[in-house]
Each structure stands twice: as structure tokens, then as C-alpha cells.
Amino acid sequence: MTQQGAVLQGYNNELVKCIEDLCMQKEELNKQIQQAEEEKNKLQHEIQVLSGQLECVCENLAQKVASRNELDKILAETEAAYMKILDSSRTLLNVLKKEVGSLKHTPEPKTN
């Protein structure tokens, strides 16, 4: 019977060692889980911060694009008006040249 008690004690010691090993593995895994949760929370916070920054940049970009489009429109209208002024100036110059040219060909009245 003593021999059976020794075998049983050996099994018991081995069982206790296995349980202790499992407990240590659980503690290590709990530490890893806690670190992973902290990293996840950190990343989620960074995502929120970056999302806010992205929203600001997008709004700023939209305002700048709208301003550029308005400037493009104003510039196009101004260039069109300037081309009309150039065309009118050219027409006026041509008319003026014709008038001056016709004055040169007009005989001067004779004086006695």
C-alpha cells in the first residue's frame, strides 16, 4: 500500500505542477491581452484624431477648390471683357487711320 501511496503522491505532484504551469500560462496570456487592448485603445484614439484632422483638411480643401473655381470664372470673364476692349480698340484705330488717311487725300482749299 505504501508503494501505491507513493505513486499517487507522484501523480499528485505532477498534477499540481501541470496546474501551476497552466496558471503561469494564463497569467502570461492575460498580460498579452492587456497589452493588446492598450494598443487597440491607443490606435483607436489615433484614428479618431486623424479622422478629425482629415475632416478639417477636406473642408479646407473644398473651400480652396471653390475659391479657385470662382477665381477661374472671374478670370475667364475678365479675359473675355479684355478681348472685347482690344477688339474695340483695334476697330477704333482702323477707323481713325482711315479718317486720317482720307484727310491727307483731301485737297486743301485754294486761297487767292
Side-chain angles (χ1 to χ4, degrees), residues 20-83:
E20 288 174 351
D21 287 346
L22 288 174
C23 287
M24 287 178 23
Q25 287 178 7
K26 179 183 172 188
E27 286 179 30
E28 180 61 31
L29 192 56
N30 279 337
K31 287 179 186 178
Q32 291 174 1
I33 289 171
Q34 185 178 0
Q35 289 174 346
E37 286 176 345
E38 289 173 0
E39 181 69 14
K40 180 187 93 167
N41 291 336
K42 177 185 168 192
L43 291 173
Q44 284 178 330
H45 177 72
E46 289 177 12
I47 287 171
Q48 288 175 342
V49 169
L50 290 174
S51 293
Q53 290 175 347
L54 177 61
E55 186 177 334
C56 289
V57 168
C58 286
E59 289 174 8
N60 191 5
L61 178 62
Q63 291 173 352
K64 288 181 179 184
V65 167
S67 294
R68 182 191 61 194
N69 292 342
E70 185 64 24
L71 287 174
D72 284 345
K73 178 183 171 190
I74 291 169
L75 185 59
E77 290 171 355
T78 303
E79 287 175 345
Y82 183 69
M83 293 307 290

Side-chain angles (χ1 to χ4, degrees), residues 74-92:
I74 291 169
L75 185 59
E77 290 171 355
T78 303
E79 287 175 345
Y82 183 69
M83 293 307 290
K84 287 180 182 179
I85 290 170
L86 287 178
D87 190 46
S88 295
S89 295
R90 185 177 339 128
T91 302
L92 178 60

Side-chain angles (χ1 to χ4, degrees), residues 89-110:
S89 295
R90 185 177 339 128
T91 302
L92 178 60
L93 181 60
N94 289 338
V95 168
L96 185 59
K97 284 180 180 179
K98 282 183 184 177
E99 291 294 323
V100 169
S102 66
L103 287 177
K104 287 182 181 178
H105 297 296
T106 306
E108 290 186 22
K110 294 183 182 179

